Every structure is written in C-alpha cells, then in structure tokens.
Amino acid sequence: MDIGVVIPTHPARITNGMTARAVQSVWSQTLPAAEVHVPVDLIGGGAWTTRDRGLQAVRAEWVAFLDSDDELMPHHLETLARGAKESGADYVYSYYQVRNAYGDEIDCDPLGHFGKVFNPADPLQTTIVTLVRTELAQAVGFHAPPMDSKVGGQRYGEDYQFTLGCVAAGAKIVHIPERTWWWVHHGRNSAGMPNQGDAAA
C-alpha cells in the first residue's frame, strides 16, 4: 500500500522543533511512507487551508494526516494499512496516547471513544490522524467550519467537517482499536486556529 503523509505546519513549530519531531516520526515508520508533504502556513490562514493544500498534492493511493505538534508511534501506518486492507474500509482511524510537555504519558479517554465501533451519527469519535483513500479525501477536501459550530457545547474543526463529508460520500469508516500515535499537550496547542496558541507566535 502506498501512502502519502500530510503534516501542515506554521513557522513557530518549525522554529521550536515540533515539525522536525513530527516528520522524524514518519520516517521512523515500520511501513515507509511513499511521500511526505509539509505545507507551511505563512499567511495565518489556519490548519484547514494548509492541510488541504498538502492533501491536493498527494499522488499516493492513500493519505495519512498528522498535526505538526504530534507524533506517530513507529507502527502507526502499518497498523492502519493492515486494518484498511482487512476491513475493506475507505477511512480508518486508531487512537491516541496523551503525552505532556515533559514527555510523560497520560491515560486519557474523556469521551470513552476508544474501542467503540464507528457510529456515523457521532463522527466526533474520530480525529484528524486518519488513513483515507486519497481519491475520497481529495473529493471531500478540508473547509473552514463556521466559527459558531458546536456539537454538545464543544467547538469542532475541519477534521469533523471532513469526516461528515466522508460519511455523506458513503465511505466505509472503521476504527482500529489500538493506540498508535501521541497527542502531545504542550500548553500552546492552537486547535487549528491561526490566532491562538503557538500559531499566533
């Protein structure tokens, strides 16, 4: 399976080394990526537009996404590729292990989504760290959600919009019940917004 990886970033995360760490986690995969795209947001447009620019450049059959402040565990791509092949899915996602700024791992699943079968009526089960057929992903694309968009009182971003689009397109979405990436909490997370966190630096 050939996989392209997209890691949108911005200058602050290049300067502080987060982007290099994320890219290194891709190069350390047991299943090598066929291509890696690291589009840089130089104009403060936000993660959604930068991510979409990288997505549209992918030529591999499958595309995986990673935020520039997070990391993939070495078996991430191999696990998701195997899950996609075995299930015949168009879109697969695993789960994260939280790591704090000191490198300590924290057991965290506040919404109780780990291990649950994907429910199209509750796309918030997923995150941006997914593996998707490129043709599907490029057709759906990433778009800015309305600023007042909330589900259950919680604001959602372009990842939720993207998943809604994949559901509407009839995609088969499957959860792989394994923790294969680190969601790094560093106190300066930007949540995709160009005017907050380290994105505003």
Side-chain angles (χ1 to χ4, degrees):
M1 179 183 291
D2 60 322
I3 301 172
V5 179
V6 175
I7 309 172
T9 192
H10 51 74
R13 287 188 182 164
I14 294 174
T15 301
N16 65 25
M18 288 181 181
T19 302
R21 184 186 65 194
V23 172
Q24 182 56 47
S25 77
V26 175
W27 293 135
S28 300
Q29 292 298 294
T30 55
L31 174 63
E35 52 188 280
V36 180
H37 300 269
V38 188
V40 181
D41 182 3
L42 296 174
I43 61 173
W48 74 268
T49 185
T50 311
R51 196 185 318 278
D52 196 64
R53 180 155 45 90
L55 165 61
Q56 299 305 327
V58 173
R59 295 294 172 260
E61 181 184 3
W62 291 80
V63 59
F65 300 102
L66 176 65
D67 282 339
S68 56
D69 57 344
D70 296 326
E71 297 177 68
L72 302 181
M73 296 180 188
H75 62 292
H76 176 81
L77 292 181
E78 183 175 11
T79 299
L80 267 61
R82 182 175 62 249
K85 183 177 180 180
E86 292 176 352
S87 67
D90 304 299
Y91 170 138
V92 293
Y93 65 100
S94 55
Y95 217 66
Y96 57 83
Q97 175 69 55
V98 173
R99 177 184 281 174
N100 66 22
Y102 301 102
D104 302 319
E105 292 190 351
I106 304 168
D107 191 14
C108 183
D109 181 17
L111 300 177
H113 287 158
F114 177 67
K116 286 188 176 180
V117 174
F118 177 72
N119 177 5
D122 181 24
L124 280 174
Q125 290 174 280
T126 70
T127 67
I128 198 60
V129 185
T130 57
L131 178 67
V132 186
R133 291 187 189 276
T134 302
E135 184 177 12
L136 167 67
Q138 290 176 339
V140 172
F142 288 96
H143 309 277
M147 290 302 295
D148 60 350
S149 299
K150 292 186 178 181
V151 175
Q154 180 179 4
R155 183 185 178 277
Y156 62 81
E158 80 271 12
D159 51 347
Y160 181 70
Q161 293 280 98
F162 175 74
T163 302
L164 285 177
C166 291
V167 169
K172 181 178 181 180
I173 301 178
V174 172
H175 173 44
I176 309 301
E178 294 187 40
R179 297 179 190 269
T180 67
W181 60 283
W182 286 291
W183 181 10
V184 182
H185 288 196
H186 48 82
R188 296 277 289 164
N189 298 77
S190 62
M193 299 298 293
N195 60 348
Q196 67 183 38
D198 59 347

